Amino acid sequence: MDIHLQEQYDEVLRRNPGEAEFHQAVAEVFSSLGTVVAKHPHYADAAVISRLCEPERQIIFRVPWTDDNGRIHINRAFRVEFNSALGPYKGGLRFHPSVYLGIIKFLGFEQIFKNALTGLPIGGGKGGSDFDPKGRSDGEIMRFCQSLMTELYRHIGEYTDVPAGDIGVGGREIGYLFGQYKRITNRYESGVLTGKGLSWGGSRVRTEATGYGTVYFVDEMLRARGESLDGKRVTVSGSGNVAIYAIEKVHELGGTVVACSDSAGYAVDEKGIDLNLLKQVKEVRRGRISEYADLRGGDASFVADGTIWDVPADVALPCATQNELTEEGALALVKGGCQVVAEGANMPCTPEATKVFSGAGVLFAPGKAANAGGVATSALEMQQNASRDSWSFEYTEERLGNIMRGIHDRCLEAADEYGSPGDYQFGANVAGFIRVADAMLALGVI
Ligand code: NDP
Ligand code: 2IT
């Protein structure tokens, strides 16, 4: 790392103790910025990098709620409004017991550059709670969402901050959150949240967008090498929103997904994951991947130990959570002949894993580029809400495809221009940084 960047990184460590994921995300971006700051000293003069590392606003609040047995629970919720140079804060809400400030800050920091890369007018933010939705009834989920929104509503708005889903937050939760926002404010302000249902202001393709977008990105990377997904063996970790629609698009483009997972293990299905069954188990029954393997019968098996990365594949798509793909997993993938890894999740590969990929010549797409299709389609949802319009599936998907191709090209152009040709990770950091840094310079010291 460049010496001035190292000093600023040390300052980030000092000011944000105990937030390992945030440190990791900052170090990853900084590792690409040496040539940029050398070429453009005015970024340093205006303290752009120091300002970027300090969220504009951080909100932490208590969420009390009552379970079905009348017991009272207290959770903690966060909204980190990181950077609004390019537009209203934009980013999801995560409900998972592992959530603490460091996770939300890492996600919010990533979101700044991801959103910049889309070329759309959205700033970066993230939120969530340490609430564990697993095993909770619909009524409990509703009461939790209503209680959370009873505080959050005063901080958000279509021109201020626009949350959406992430781990543990899908259409059901967005519905309860939107209902409570509408009730408290007495405004049908569709643009305050994205990921809404189609009959109440949602956008077609938003549900599919992150997974589809990741696969479009892979398709583009392969095309740049004169190859395609047709006939490729693919593994996808996770079996939530991103994973399911990544699997769907891989199958549409002629690849075969032979394994997917959840936090309890993975299912191997050599004939290709049966997507209808997977959707039934995960989206309708909210069940486990072991149930998928049971219901699929002899064709599939469930493995509770080891990792999905032990399954040989041409293409691997980590779509579950941060740091799920370690050095060991990366070595196993390389051994199995993997040529492409694209992050459907946020920061799923550890720094050691990405080093293994670059050493072995594996094409690597970082999350801030490869999973940007979700937030990009959220921005398209905001456009439709602002114009009180509703676009067709075909038109919206075409817009998503163009956005993903644009991000792909922006990464390669920046990588070329700043001295690391072909390096998507480097290019994503540089292109995202320059767009947001230039806007910050224009807006003055704020
Ligand atoms: P979901 O809640 O729909 O699914 C999450 C999946 O990941 C589940 O299969 C879950 O398994 C697994 N998972 C979650 N936490 C862990 C863990 N600690 N260890 C192992 N497995 C885990 O979330 P999404 O699909 O929406 O999100 C997945 C990833 O994609 C996240 O990193 C998210 O930030 C990122 N992302 C999401 C976008 C979106 O639009 N939804 C947009 C861009 C990125 P289990 O059920 O067992 O917990
Ligand atoms: O990480 C992400 O980009 C998301 N969870 C989607 C955010 C959004 O605002 O759609």
Side-chain angles (χ1 to χ4, degrees):
M1 206 185 281
D2 165 278
I3 175 79
H4 299 294
L5 287 166
Q6 182 65 50
E7 280 168 16
Q8 292 183 63
Y9 182 63
D10 292 342
E11 185 68 2
V12 168
L13 296 183
R14 196 185 62 74
R15 288 170 68 82
N16 304 277
E19 297 177 355
E21 296 83 0
F22 179 49
H23 303 161
Q24 184 182 333
V26 171
E28 194 266 324
V29 170
F30 278 20
S31 69
S32 306
L33 296 185
T35 48
V36 181
V37 293
K39 202 163 164 182
H40 306 293
H42 57 292
Y43 291 140
D45 298 342
V48 167
I49 293 175
S50 312
R51 282 192 278 150
L52 259 172
C53 293
E54 184 68 20
E56 289 174 14
R57 189 175 299 105
Q58 307 183 56
I59 301 145
I60 304 181
F61 55 98
R62 181 176 73 194
V63 185
W65 58 281
T66 306
D67 70 20
D68 288 345
N69 300 318
R71 218 185 119 218
I72 296 170
H73 298 256
I74 303 297
N75 283 98
R76 185 175 290 174
F78 307 85
R79 188 74 187 167
V80 174
E81 298 181 334
F82 226 118
N83 192 293
S84 60
L86 294 173
Y89 309 106
K90 183 81 197 87
L93 294 171
R94 175 177 292 191
F95 293 171
H96 193 271
S98 62
V99 164
Y100 76 107
L101 188 58
I103 296 249
I104 301 301
K105 276 162 76 176
F106 119 64
L107 290 164
F109 187 75
E110 283 287 291
Q111 201 83 47
I112 303 171
F113 305 99
K114 182 195 302 191
N115 294 5
L117 270 175
T118 65
L120 296 163
I122 40 180
K126 199 82 187 192
S129 172
D130 57 6
F131 172 69
D132 186 357
K134 274 206 190 81
R136 290 292 171 197
S137 68
D138 273 1
E140 290 174 323
I141 299 282
M142 181 179 76
R143 290 192 295 279
F144 177 79
C145 288
Q146 289 176 339
S147 182
L148 183 135
M149 186 53 87
T150 302
E151 171 60 32
L152 187 64
Y153 88 95
R154 70 187 83 246
H155 305 290
I156 62 176
E158 67 174 310
Y159 296 108
T160 313
D161 183 354
V162 183
D166 193 82
I167 291 177
V169 178
R172 173 181 59 171
E173 291 73 19
I174 295 295
Y176 295 144
L177 291 163
F178 184 65
Q180 185 73 348
Y181 182 85
K182 187 177 80 62
R183 186 182 192 195
I184 295 175
T185 60
N186 193 28
R187 283 162 61 87
Y188 205 107
E189 187 188 333
S190 303
V192 69
L193 289 168
T194 61
K196 300 181 295 297
L198 295 185
S199 61
W200 40 279
S203 172
R204 294 193 175 79
V205 193
R206 177 61 190 89
T207 303
E208 297 85 354
T210 310
Y212 277 21
T214 301
V215 177
Y216 283 138
F217 199 93
V218 170
D219 193 43
E220 233 15 66
M221 292 165 93
L222 287 168
R223 195 193 309 275
R225 273 194 174 181
E227 289 180 52
S228 82
L229 265 166
D230 197 27
K232 295 270 191 304
R233 258 177 84 89
V234 182
T235 50
V236 176
S237 68
S239 48
N241 173 264
V242 180
I244 287 173
Y245 292 96
I247 296 170
E248 184 162 283
K249 190 51 82 178
V250 168
H251 285 175
E252 261 178 57
L253 296 182
T256 305
V257 177
V258 295
C260 65
S261 66
D262 62 21
S263 57
Y266 63 95
V268 184
D269 195 339
E270 285 292 339
K271 289 196 177 142
I273 297 290
D274 176 339
L275 200 63
N276 284 334
L277 179 60
L278 183 67
K279 284 184 179 175
Q280 185 65 27
V281 170
K282 284 288 169 179
E283 293 185 333
V284 181
R285 297 158 57 143
R286 298 181 188 275
R288 311 300 301 156
I289 207 68
S290 56
E291 291 171 48
Y292 167 87
D294 289 347
L295 290 166
R296 182 87 157 124
D299 288 337
S301 55
F302 175 71
V303 184
D305 43 11
T307 79
I308 189 172
W309 315 121
D310 295 335
V311 181
D314 304 311
V315 177
L317 306 178
C319 295
T321 195
Q322 64 277 350
N323 293 327
E324 55 162 316
L325 204 172
T326 61
E327 181 175 25
E328 202 185 353
L331 289 168
L333 280 173
V334 169
K335 196 168 155 212
C338 184
Q339 302 147 29
V340 183
V341 176
E343 294 186 323
N346 285 307
M347 207 169 77
C349 299
T350 64
E352 295 76 22
T354 56
K355 224 170 270 162
V356 170
F357 296 141
S358 63
V362 172
L363 281 180
F364 174 71
K368 60 173 75 68
N371 72 38
V375 75
T377 308
S378 279
L380 301 183
E381 184 171 331
M382 291 163 73
Q383 283 184 31
Q384 291 168 79
N385 294 153
S387 57
R388 302 186 186 281
D389 200 357
S390 169
W391 304 342
S392 70
F393 195 94
E394 293 69 27
Y395 176 70
T396 317
E397 195 182 8
E398 190 189 326
R399 294 277 304 257
L400 169 64
N402 289 336
I403 291 166
M404 294 314 295
R405 281 185 283 281
I407 296 172
H408 175 270
D409 295 351
R410 242 164 261 144
C411 290
L412 284 188
E413 282 156 22
D416 248 2
E417 187 178 342
Y418 287 88
S420 224
D423 185 338
Y424 288 94
Q425 187 173 18
F426 177 91
N429 286 334
V430 170
F433 171 78
I434 288 177
R435 181 159 185 251
V436 70
D438 285 346
M440 288 173 71
L441 282 177
L443 300 186
V445 179
I446 55 170

